[in-house]
Amino acid sequence: MQRTVLKFGGTSVGDLDRIAHVADLVSWRASQGEKLAVIVSAMAGETNKLVGFARGAAGDNLSGPSFDDEYDVVVSSGEQVTSGLLALALRKRGLKARSWLGWQLAMKTSSAHGKARIMGFENSGLLDAVDGGEIAVIAGFQGVTDEGRVSTLGRGGSDTSAVAVAAALGAESCDIYTDVDGVYTTDPRIVPQARRLDKISYEEMLEMASLGAKVLQTRSVELAMNHQVRVRVLSSFAQPGEDNPGTYVCSEDEIVEKQIVNGVTYSRDEAKVTLYGVEDKPGVSARIFSMLADAGVNVDMIVQANARGPERANMVFTCTSADSENAEKLLLNSKADIGFESLSVSRDVAKVSVIGVGMKSHTGVAGTMFDALYRKGINIDVISTSEIKISVLIDAAYTELAVRALHTAFGLDAT
Ligand code: ASP
Ligand code: MG
């Protein structure tokens, strides 16, 4: 029996016309003999509106545990609406369909409200319903805690709901319908010659997602990789039955022709924090970064260098612009305690990265990358690498130029 999971994001269910179109797509898939579970997001913009309501009702200083459980009750409601609406639209087309909310699936999550992690499913009759030919329309993004409270999975979390359902159902594929027709080598708005990839490995997609490509929630890719769920990203604007191959996110072994570099990503939401004259002795870095971690500041690149004499060093790290204000405040408040001379924060920086599993077995990627940037006169500020990616921090004004140059240098431009 072929079970398939389909997921539709916010723009795909943005109004009643779009929902009708989704119902046509789903109904066509059902007519092909597939047993379907369909995960939906809230209508585009709805979750932002609900977040605003929750903050408005709670007041500025109410956050944390005294706030987050009720925040989840409010913000999860957008998905309840779309799951009911799509079930109705499917019934209108003569199909057997019903909506499932997080608690009805028993999509059990941790109790970290606002960013809960899926623990697993309890037996809820979903499998029987799907195998019996009923289309299960599932509210994404939401779950239930052991305490029986509603939880949400973090922004963009309905992708993760979809992968979790696909894993639980042993689905053939988890088709993420969205407003783009696949995963591209880079942002086509910057590089018109960007190409849609037929396949991309989990590892590469994970890097792409966390480095700024906004197609899939990072957590959903992790989950797909752990459970070997084949994910496909495809267009929800296609007509039923129309050719719509999308991009498969799958294991590396499935990809025959491996490119050295498969993608170029960028993120302008970066800030660089420099601490000058940091005391050069054991325990100082630990103190700085534990403090930032405790405050929820997500630190990315870290460089400690330029030791000025034996006792002092400079330390550079990057984080999101939003986190940088908090980081700056915290560090300045504990200046004496940590032991540094001064601090500067620059927010006019961008991170540009090249990604490819081929890097594991090829040399010279860094040389090609730095040479391409040099030829455009772009100065590199900070560099960081992993097995399958190289990231550089540059002046934000050169972001587009850098992305274009790298896309060309690694032979990614469509002919
Ligand atoms: N509606 C939620 C959000 O906007 C979840 C999702 O769309 O994936 O973040
Ligand atoms: Mg999304």
Side-chain angles (χ1 to χ4, degrees):
M1 180 141 6
Q2 181 175 336
R3 302 185 196 115
T4 314
V5 168
L6 313 179
K7 183 248 160 180
F8 293 91
T11 40
S12 309
V13 293
D15 58 35
L16 287 175
D17 285 341
R18 298 288 300 141
I19 290 176
H21 179 71
V22 167
D24 289 338
L25 286 171
V26 173
S27 132
W28 181 78
R29 298 283 304 243
S31 74
Q32 305 300 297
E34 292 176 292
K35 303 289 187 199
L36 299 171
V38 185
I39 284 77
V40 287
S41 293
M43 289 174 166
E46 201 58 30
T47 309
N48 287 344
K49 198 171 95 190
L50 294 167
V51 168
F53 282 156
R55 299 216 173 283
D60 280 346
N61 41 19
L62 195 52
S63 69
S66 59
F67 168 73
D68 295 345
D69 56 338
E70 297 301 348
Y71 165 95
D72 277 353
V73 173
V74 177
V75 302
S76 64
S77 64
E79 275 74 8
Q80 171 162 347
V81 173
T82 44
S83 63
L85 290 174
L86 181 58
L88 286 170
L90 290 168
R91 286 183 186 176
K92 182 179 164 192
R93 285 160 179 74
L95 293 158
K96 234 166 83 187
R98 72 155 269 204
S99 60
W100 294 77
L101 302 182
W103 65 270
Q104 293 171 319
L105 291 171
M107 168 84 79
K108 281 296 183 74
T109 73
S110 69
S111 40
H113 285 283
K115 47 178 185 305
R117 288 173 80 91
I118 296 175
M119 316 297 269
F121 278 91
E122 281 176 8
N123 177 23
S124 58
L126 176 71
L127 196 65
D128 291 344
V130 169
D131 285 350
E134 189 173 277
I135 299 174
V137 185
I138 298 172
F141 183 50
Q142 51 174 263
V144 62
T145 67
D146 273 339
E147 294 79 40
R149 301 287 287 156
V150 174
S151 55
T152 64
L153 306 178
R155 298 306 303 271
S158 52
D159 293 336
T160 303
S161 310
V163 172
V165 171
L169 294 183
E172 203 86 349
S173 172
C174 178
D175 283 0
I176 310 271
Y177 281 91
T178 179
D179 49 1
V180 290
D181 66 351
V183 179
Y184 276 70
T185 49
T186 194
D187 186 343
R189 285 168 305 182
I190 290 188
V191 184
Q193 300 91 329
R195 285 183 292 116
R196 179 178 54 77
L197 296 160
D198 291 329
K199 289 180 179 170
I200 184 168
S201 69
Y202 295 120
E203 273 179 292
E204 289 168 320
M205 193 64 231
L206 208 51
E207 292 283 10
M208 300 261 262
S210 51
L211 291 171
K214 293 191 180 60
V215 218
L216 292 173
Q217 195 199 33
T218 309
R219 179 77 193 105
S220 72
V221 186
E222 271 167 24
L223 198 64
M225 184 158 87
N226 292 341
H227 294 271
Q228 295 289 303
V229 173
R230 288 183 98 223
V231 172
R232 184 161 64 131
V233 176
L234 67 173
S235 169
S236 67
F237 288 88
Q239 295 306 313
E242 194 186 328
D243 186 39
N244 188 14
T247 299
Y248 273 104
V249 185
C250 54
S251 89
E252 204 184 314
D253 325 326
E254 265 195 66
I255 302 171
V256 191
E257 261 189 69
K258 292 187 182 64
Q259 303 294 325
I260 299 176
V261 165
N262 254 327
V264 181
T265 60
Y266 66 93
S267 157
R268 289 197 185 89
D269 181 26
E270 303 285 329
K272 184 182 80 164
V273 180
T274 309
L275 294 170
Y276 298 96
V278 181
E279 269 187 82
D280 195 8
K281 64 174 192 201
V284 175
S285 306
R287 209 161 341 137
I288 295 173
F289 292 104
S290 316
M291 182 181 79
L292 294 171
D294 291 344
V297 174
N298 202 346
V299 171
D300 182 27
M301 302 162 134
I302 303 176
V303 180
Q304 190 198 311
N306 305 358
R308 302 185 338 229
E311 279 120 41
R312 298 270 164 182
N314 291 342
M315 167 98 74
V316 175
F317 69 86
T318 66
C319 60
T320 63
S321 316
D323 279 352
S324 68
E325 286 174 28
N326 200 3
E328 187 174 3
K329 246 185 269 157
L330 283 166
L331 289 165
L332 286 176
N333 285 341
S334 36
K335 191 170 165 202
D337 185 35
I338 296 170
F340 64 92
E341 286 163 1
S342 60
L343 167 158
S344 78
V345 181
S346 150
R347 296 187 177 86
D348 294 326
V349 291
K351 182 172 63 178
V352 177
S353 314
V354 299
I355 296 145
V357 283
M359 273 183 224
K360 287 184 193 172
S361 50
H362 281 79
T363 54
V365 181
T368 306
M369 180 179 193
F370 303 156
D371 186 61
L373 296 172
Y374 155 70
R375 280 169 195 285
K376 298 289 178 196
I378 300 170
N379 190 43
I380 301 170
D381 203 349
V382 183
I383 302 170
S384 76
T385 63
S386 80
E387 208 181 13
I388 67 160
K389 73 122 206 267
I390 303 173
S391 298
V392 295
L393 199 70
I394 59 169
D395 182 337
Y398 295 110
T399 312
E400 306 200 349
L401 185 63
V403 170
R404 279 193 213 106
L406 295 172
H407 200 263
T408 305
F410 286 102
L412 295 173
D413 292 352
T415 42

